[in-house]
Amino acid sequence: MQRQQRSFSLLLLLLAGACHVLTASASEVAATKESSLLPRAVAPATKHRSDKVHGIIMGVTVIIIFPFASISWRLLDRLVSGKTLFRIHVACQVLGLAMLIVGFGIGVWVCIIHKEVYNDEWGHVILGTILMALFIVQPVIGQLHHYLYISPSRRTQPWIRSLHVWLGRLLMVAAIVNGATGIVLANNTPGGEKGYSAAAGIVGVAYIVILVLWYWNRSKQDIEKDSHDTSEERHADVERKITPAVGVDPM
């Protein structure tokens, strides 16, 4: 009996030792993996290259692709058909969203190697994460509006269209501002800051000018249409007044 107890105790000791060895090995592996993600494990050139790639992808997306996808409805209104406009809009938005996701993934890697996950002084990471989530929701709203618009009953809701349009515009502005904070965090060169500011300014001014001209032209067309309809109604009233009534002589 005592021999069995000793054997059982020895077995427990062996199991405990094996568990300890496995736990220590797992801890060493985890520590090794964790150390590979720490800033000291990444060369400064790699950090700089990661910052640059992240900034270029995000900058091109929010300054060029998304604004063009948005303004294409107004810019190409009289040049191509509605279906072609829709395809251009969707293609640009899908491309922009794909680039945004790639840029966001690189941004996560940048946060890890710089050890700045949600603790930067400008709130760049927090705002970027919120914007990323809203950019993913944005095409869902647009698809809902399109589905209601092409439905046989055309039960489209004006507030859905307004939400899609204005949310997209606000997201683009917020993304450009967030990109500026990212440039500050990356300690970019003065040339990079000036280039980003110039590109954002030029695109912003062009976007606003095209939008204002389009709305002005549309309001002008609406006024002309209303005046034309009013003149036709007046002309019809005059014709009814000057046309003699046709009576029937009694037999």
Side-chain angles (χ1 to χ4, degrees), residues 63-74:
I63 293 180
I64 298 178
I65 296 179
F66 279 150
F68 177 77
S70 174
I71 206 65
S72 61
W73 286 104
R74 316 292 185 247

Side-chain angles (χ1 to χ4, degrees), residues 11 21 34 59 61 88 90 100 107 130 137 142 145 154 192 204 230-231:
L11 181 60
V21 171
E34 183 179 359
T61 303
I88 293 174
V90 172
L100 199 72
I130 295 173
V137 174
H145 165 67
R154 288 187 178 270
T230 304
S231 63

